[in-house]
Amino acid sequence: MSRPGGTSGSAAPHLELRGLGLRRGDRWLVRGLDAVIPRGAFVAVVGPSGVGKSSFLSALAGLLAPAEGEIVLRCASGHAHHPAEPALQRRTGVIFQNNLLTPNASVLVNTLAGRLGRHSAWRTLFGFPRADRVAAYRILCDLGLGAQAHRWSCQTSGGEQQRTAIARALLQEPDLYLADEPVSALDAYLTGRVLGLLRQEAREHGRTVLCVLHNAELVERFADLALSFDPADPANWKLREVRR
Amino acid sequence: MSASKPSPASAPAAEKRVGDNALHPSQKPVHPAEPPPPPRINVFTVTLAAFALAVIASWPAMRGSGRDLDTWGNLSRFLGHFFPPDWSVWRETLRALGETFQIAVLATVFATLLSLPLAALGARTLAPAWLVAPARLLMNAARTVPSLVWALFGVAIVGANPLAGVVALTLYSLGYLGKFFSDAFESVDADVARGLSALGANRAQAFQYGLWPHAKPLIASHVLWMLEYNLRAASIIGYVGAGGLGAQLASYYEYFAWDKVATVLIFILALVTLLDLLGEWVRRRITRSLGVRR
């Protein structure tokens, strides 16, 4: 299997979906989804509103149990895991659609929360190690949030909150990024900057990215693969290579 | 390509749809003539009806003794004994007030520390179901016993001194704060905590970084309320020997020295008002900083 559109990184499979079926209540969102996503691929997840894109990412994050089939994540050594395992969640960076930030905690602390999985509860009881704080501040500066670091996240704008959520995921340095509309509140420049960073993560560090995007132009510009869902027929999903 | 799907014929159609924002035919909006009416019977209307029935059923309590009493004359005569207040007792009143304040502060601090873990055990969102019921039962039991009866317990355990008051009000406040904190933990948005768990945080970390910051303003507000409440409660438990103003009040009451009682009440009022203003200021600062959200 060759890595579509990729220039570097391993072509080993990272994510395997075997006959995956997801449902919300009585409604099937996806059925019979069979796909293999190679490590380091940037996959755009597309489809109209309400089709089940967020549910699909939730299932990959271990927050929604599949109704049928299974999701297998392979670590670098080839061992298979399932998304709900705590050790694996630590290596899965989720950018939630509604950001899920703590409103009365600073932008810096919200970002640092991405490193919680690396430390014991005792270590983080009174704050984070200096190295983490330095790394978090660097990422915030990269995303133009350096001046906001000590403001409560509820005192920042919608776009700044979205970038804080992105910074949290970047600081986590996960194997797999699950980004649910990560640029919906950003302007054209920041959209390019954020998707460029995620693409760099995929290319240079072999970190697989699954990103919900609504803009066809962005899909063509950044993605290697595009996975689309059909609201009328849950079994009519498509995975295609993006040609540039 | 890794996609293995038994419908190769529709592949070009899929390419066309990628990134296409147009609504699918199944999602086309429909326009009915008017919105359907909301349901008439809901939790609110049922509760309101139940409350109205409760008021009707409670009305016999308004009957009183049934005798023809000079109500207003009694009131004005009794209140007349309170004026003018006898300020000569200010020195001992101030000393007793200090003791009352100490009892209230310590009881509130100890109750806060003890009720945080108890509240976590009593919150359905944090603890397993089999622990929630016993924890809630314990808090209900603590609330059921009046503060004066807790004071009797305190005096029986550690003797007639202010420590008895601290013990009594700690146990009494535990019931209230435990319930308030449990409700606070249950009412705040737990999605952030769940999100942090999905990023690999353990339960303690998800609580500290995801749930605690949300609950903190509510908790601070409840603690201030409890301090104010304990200050009033600590003024009465001296009746049974548990320290504070109560002992003084009891002796004045015994000798019908209502003008001295008036002085004590004015001192309590001043302290409670001061604390209320302070509490209000702190609460406003907390909520104002949270008010500018999103």
Side-chain angles (χ1 to χ4, degrees), chain B residues 10 16 32 43 56 94 101 103 105 121 149 163 172 197-198 201 204 215 221 239 271 294:
Chain B
S10 49
K16 205 178 70 209
V43 179
I56 293 167
L94 208 61
F101 184 72
I103 294 170
V105 167
L121 296 181
V149 178
L163 180 60
Y172 181 63
S197 297
S221 172
Y239 254 79
L271 188 61
R294 277 169 257 248

Side-chain angles (χ1 to χ4, degrees), chain B residues 71-237:
Chain B
T71 318
W72 293 111
N74 287 346
L75 180 68
S76 63
R77 261 194 306 284
F78 184 62
L79 279 182
H81 293 311
F82 282 80
F83 293 98
D86 179 0
W87 296 107
S88 66
V89 293
W90 71 271
R91 205 181 292 272
E92 51 260 46
T93 306
L94 208 61
R95 191 199 53 77
L97 194 67
E99 199 173 271
T100 302
F101 184 72
Q102 291 166 343
I103 294 170
V105 167
L106 289 181
T108 309
V109 168
F110 293 147
T112 303
L113 294 178
L114 290 173
S115 47
L116 278 173
L118 190 63
L121 296 181
R124 286 179 204 92
T125 45
L126 295 177
W130 60 270
L131 257 176
V132 171
R136 293 237 160 194
L137 189 70
L138 199 68
M139 295 186 273
N140 287 347
R143 268 201 320 280
T144 308
V145 179
S147 56
L148 212 57
V149 178
W150 275 124
L152 285 171
F153 277 109
V155 172
I157 300 167
V158 297
N161 54 55
L163 180 60
V166 175
V167 172
L169 290 184
T170 300
L171 293 172
Y172 181 63
S173 312
L174 200 61
Y176 274 101
L177 287 183
K179 183 185 162 43
F180 290 160
F181 293 175
S182 279
D183 289 348
F185 290 149
E186 283 181 3
S187 70
V188 299
D189 184 6
D191 281 353
V192 178
R194 271 196 287 273
L196 291 183
S197 297
L199 300 179
N202 60 40
R203 285 176 74 90
Q205 290 170 325
F207 174 80
Q208 188 192 346
Y209 286 91
L211 210 126
W212 174 249
H214 285 259
K216 206 163 56 179
L218 276 176
I219 295 217
S221 172
H222 291 319
V223 170
L224 281 172
W225 180 85
M226 200 72 231
L227 179 63
E228 197 186 304
Y229 186 96
N230 276 342
L231 205 61
R232 276 176 279 133
S235 316
I236 206 74
I237 53 171

Side-chain angles (χ1 to χ4, degrees), chain A residues 106-233:
Chain A
S106 71
V107 167
L108 185 66
V109 167
N110 268 299
T111 306
L112 281 163
R115 287 269 166 107
L116 282 174
R118 294 194 188 185
H119 305 291
S120 70
W122 286 115
R123 181 62 196 84
T124 54
L125 188 60
F126 298 107
F128 287 82
R130 189 180 141 75
D132 287 350
R133 280 182 280 132
V134 171
Y137 189 63
R138 188 172 302 148
I139 291 176
L140 287 177
C141 290
D142 259 3
L143 291 172
L145 287 171
Q148 316 288 346
H150 291 295
R151 294 185 71 179
W152 278 7
S153 80
C154 65
Q155 292 168 329
T156 60
S157 74
E160 286 167 339
Q161 289 178 19
Q162 191 161 46
R163 276 180 283 156
T164 308
I166 293 160
R168 179 173 66 186
L170 288 170
L171 184 70
Q172 199 184 343
E173 295 176 345
D175 285 351
L176 174 68
Y177 282 97
L178 301 172
D180 198 349
E181 301 189 30
V183 291
S184 58
L186 304 184
D187 61 31
Y189 167 75
L190 284 168
T191 296
R193 176 114 188 84
V194 164
L195 292 180
L197 275 172
L198 286 177
R199 185 166 176 75
Q200 193 181 338
E201 288 283 293
R203 289 273 165 116
E204 292 178 10
H205 303 287
R207 295 174 180 148
T208 309
V209 178
L210 273 89
C211 181
V212 173
L213 288 175
H214 275 303
N215 184 324
E217 196 187 314
L218 293 176
V219 174
E220 302 303 317
R221 204 168 126 206
F222 291 99
D224 303 317
L225 297 166
L227 175 63
S228 60
F229 296 121
D230 182 344
D233 179 8

